Amino acid sequence: MRFARRAWIVVWKDLTIEGRSKETLNALLFFSLLLLFLFQFALGPDRERLASVLPGLLWLGFILSGLLGLGRTFVGERENDCWDGLRLAPGDKSAIYLGKLAGNLLLMLLVETTLLALFAVFFNVDIGPAAPGLALVVGLGTIGLAAIGTLFAAMTAQVRARELLFPVLLLPVQVPVLLGTVKATEAVLLGEPLGAVAHWLRLLAAADVVYVAIGVLTFDFILDG
Amino acid sequence: MNRNAKFIAGGGVIAAALAYMIYAGVTQSAVYFITPSELRAAPVSGKAYRLGGIVVPGSVQWNPASLELAFTLSDGRGSVPVRHRGTPPDLFGEGRGAVVEGNWSREGHFTASLIMAKHSEDYKAPRGTSGAGYQDLIRTLEKDGSSR
Amino acid sequence: MADNWQFVAAAYGLAAAVLGGYWRRLVRLDRKLAAAQVRRRNRPADKIQ
Amino acid sequence: MTRALGWLATLGLIGGLVMGFGVAPREVTQGNVQRIMYLHVPTAWVAYLAFGIVFFASIGYLWTRSDAADRLARASAEAGVIFTGVTITAGSIWGKPTWGTWWTWDARLTSAAIMFVMYLGYLLLRGIIEEPEQAARYSAVLGIVAALDVPLVHFSVYWWRTLHQPPTVMKPGPVNMPPAILAALLVNVVAFTLLYTYFVVKRVNTLRREHEVLA
């Protein structure tokens, strides 16, 4: 499988860079911590209100940190003039897309797990019994977010005002994923069985399939001129 | 992989996922608002609800001076007293459908912060059938809530 | 049942303003381009003189 | 040719107004305010049509790299955003007297609003990229993503909440509408489709000439 190998090389390259500098990861974890402080200041001690807004807040945190992390996907390539290297890489470019997507997924899941743990500690939420369901919902949502996020990050990497354009393009497209995950997370945290949110899970799964397929098919056009 | 083969396969996957979504979407039964009998079964005070039903004929009490509105919403099986402060929309009326947003108060009534009139998708000419009946409206409400 | 004619008027008025505005923009762009094309066509003639 | 199309659209719109305000009867429950429907529904249809054409033109561009396809996508997206704006404002004005609120996060309203911002983003991307070939390529990808996203957006907000009545005409089963109202609606759908076609043809025209003048 040469295709898988080429995708893996991209993942390995990005992980090595990230492992050496830990630039993005450190900044994102610190950012998540700050978010928790902000939420605490905004909400105050009202526990009842907290329970009803918790899923939304959690996803707000995931999205804000996701936007920051995803937006940086191709920054390294641009700043170090490796863009042409990617463009000139032989063969199917979708391997590069899948590699970048896998790297982003790993990074986002790491940050999300940390944020979730911090949430449980600071807001006294017992997420233990909901953990398997929560993992499924968060995983499905993150795939969708990262799939389009990676594609749009490549699209905006070479454009001026990219910090602005990236979220402006990404957020409206991500509405189905956001609605689905927030609703499903809400149900899971309230202790409802996964069957009660089956239609949301199906929507998320369908969205993930569509988004990843679009990314694989169109990434070529973004990369080569 | 052949480029064209990739596009055909990818397009097929996308089309299949979307077709499945549309199929599931059309046949899905989802709850957009709860009905009075559902609220009666397990009311949680303080929790925000969207409640939909028919305004029971003869139940509307409207005080234009204090802008206080009280009426009863029913789905034929259960009924809930609703209180609201403000002017109701034009289409709001006895025997018609309405959806209210608000919460269940401890005093045993529903405090609505927003009242919305729900009209059916059937448009009527003056000499057509006169005014939709109670059953018709219940059907509209239930149809919206259970199918399509 | 009130007729709410003012709402009907507002809806149609706003729509007319938006659609008419876009139409006017297109017409203006059209004229500007026509003028530019005329200028371009005249330029070589200027050089000959 | 374009001019003839313009007059045809004008004629259609006049006919639509005559049908909507002269021929169609006053609706019983809602009163005359229901006549906003003859504006709201056709513009909504045209908006969906416009974004559908953006989708196919975008695929066409990536396939053939023809500038004509790119110009069509751009013109159609502009018209689509305009018509979506009209649909949303008209619907909002209709909603106030009938539902009692200008705006509610109802399914159909929300999905129209999301579609609106999605394609505003599309136009924004086009405006920001200066290099024409790059702008065409990137926006074609975005046009495809946005169009395939529309059904997902639709169902997600549909399950989320709804207040909007189900579609009257575009649904399976018989249409439950007096013939005069239906006829007025159909005349307006045709008229607004003509107006959309006129806008797109004219805009494609100006874009082509812009390209020639700049070249």
Side-chain angles (χ1 to χ4, degrees), chain A:
Chain A
M1 276 303 279
R2 297 203 33 188
F3 185 85
R5 209 181 109 73
R6 287 178 30 229
W8 167 245
I9 287 172
V10 176
V11 181
W12 173 81
K13 172 194 84 92
D14 284 350
L15 286 185
T16 312
I17 295 173
E18 186 55 41
R20 289 201 184 130
S21 70
K22 299 196 185 60
E23 219 174 41
T24 313
L25 190 62
N26 283 341
L28 282 184
L29 291 179
F30 185 56
F31 179 75
S32 316
L33 194 66
L34 292 179
L35 271 183
L36 285 182
F37 288 179
L38 280 184
F39 291 163
Q40 185 62 60
F41 295 145
L43 283 171
D46 191 344
R47 303 262 322 150
E48 218 171 277
R49 208 168 47 169
L50 182 69
S52 62
V53 294
L54 195 65
L57 274 189
L58 208 54
W59 271 96
L60 195 64
F62 291 172
I63 287 184
L64 288 176
S65 57
L67 278 179
L68 285 181
L70 289 170
R72 292 191 55 81
T73 313
F74 292 92
V75 165
E77 268 78 9
R78 203 189 61 245
E79 281 170 358
N80 301 323
D81 289 329
C82 300
W83 190 262
D84 288 330
L86 286 185
R87 270 183 52 184
L88 295 174
D92 200 338
K93 304 286 190 301
S94 44
I96 298 173
Y97 169 77
L98 287 177
K100 286 285 184 186
L101 172 59
N104 276 334
L105 261 180
L106 216 61
L107 187 70
M108 281 183 71
L109 286 175
L110 205 61
V111 173
E112 284 169 356
T113 316
T114 317
L115 193 58
L116 208 54
L118 289 174
F119 234 92
V121 173
F122 280 110
F123 292 90
N124 275 316
V125 190
D126 184 18
I127 50 171
L134 207 55
L136 179 67
V137 172
V138 169
L140 283 175
T142 308
I143 293 175
L145 191 63
I148 291 293
T150 307
L151 184 70
F152 282 10
M155 196 190 280
T156 48
Q158 301 282 71
V159 173
R160 76 195 152 90
R162 73 186 140 282
E163 294 84 1
L164 201 65
L165 204 54
F166 178 64
V168 164
L169 295 184
L170 183 60
L171 288 181
V173 172
Q174 286 296 315
V175 164
V177 166
L178 298 186
L179 274 181
T181 43
V182 168
K183 284 287 169 193
T185 307
E186 190 179 12
V188 167
L189 282 179
L190 284 173
E192 288 179 42
L194 278 176
V197 288
H199 60 291
W200 285 119
L201 296 180
R202 277 201 297 269
L203 176 93
L204 286 175
D208 288 353
V209 169
V210 172
Y211 291 162
V212 173
I214 292 177
V216 168
L217 291 186
T218 57
F219 189 72
D220 264 9
F221 297 111
I222 289 186
L223 214 52
D224 56 52

Side-chain angles (χ1 to χ4, degrees), chain B residues 22 24 38 47 52 62 69 81 84 88 101 103 108 110-111 116 119-120 125 142:
Chain B
I22 290 165
E38 283 164 0
K47 187 183 169 183
W62 162 240
L69 178 70
H84 175 69
E101 282 179 0
N103 50 52
F110 192 86
T111 314
M116 291 167 290
H119 61 93
S120 77
E142 282 185 342

Side-chain angles (χ1 to χ4, degrees), chain B residues 33-70:
Chain B
F33 48 78
I34 59 166
T35 60
S37 52
E38 283 164 0
L39 179 69
R40 278 291 186 193
V44 180
S45 67
K47 187 183 169 183
Y49 287 106
R50 266 161 85 93
L51 180 71
I54 305 291
V55 180
V56 174
S59 72
V60 175
Q61 288 165 13
W62 162 240
N63 183 346
S66 62
L67 289 178
E68 271 163 14
L69 178 70

Side-chain angles (χ1 to χ4, degrees), chain D residues 88-172:
Chain D
I88 292 174
T89 39
S92 176
I93 293 170
W94 190 10
K96 182 61 186 172
T98 48
W99 295 337
T101 172
W102 292 110
W103 185 263
T104 169
W105 290 104
D106 149 74
R108 213 82 67 75
L109 276 71
T110 313
S111 68
I114 291 163
M115 210 164 75
F116 186 63
V117 290
M118 218 147 67
Y119 284 93
L120 267 185
Y122 174 93
L123 294 181
L124 199 67
L125 180 76
R126 297 210 71 123
I128 279 184
I129 306 177
E130 273 147 11
E131 216 269 295
E133 190 273 336
Q134 195 186 31
R137 201 150 39 84
Y138 284 13
S139 53
V141 171
L142 186 57
I144 292 171
V145 173
L148 293 177
D149 206 42
V150 165
L152 294 170
V153 169
H154 180 82
F155 284 112
S156 65
V157 292
Y158 211 88
W159 291 337
W160 184 43
R161 44 174 41 183
T162 196
L163 180 69
H164 198 297
Q165 63 277 22
T168 310
V169 180
M170 285 214 260
K171 65 170 183 191

Side-chain angles (χ1 to χ4, degrees), chain D residues 18-95:
Chain D
V18 170
M19 287 298 285
F21 285 87
V23 177
R26 180 181 181 276
E27 210 268 335
V28 171
T29 19
Q30 294 186 31
N32 280 316
V33 77
Q34 178 267 341
R35 295 187 198 275
I36 294 179
M37 186 177 82
Y38 307 124
L39 174 67
H40 178 68
V41 173
T43 46
W45 144 253
V46 169
Y48 278 102
L49 173 74
F51 295 142
I53 287 185
V54 173
F55 175 61
F56 288 111
S58 296
I59 291 180
Y61 176 77
L62 291 182
W63 199 283
T64 62
R65 301 291 169 120
S66 103
D67 286 342
D70 176 51
R71 285 194 283 263
L72 176 61
R74 182 168 179 184
S76 190
E78 275 181 23
V81 166
I82 301 267
F83 278 99
T84 313
V86 171
T87 303
I88 292 174
T89 39
S92 176
I93 293 170
W94 190 10

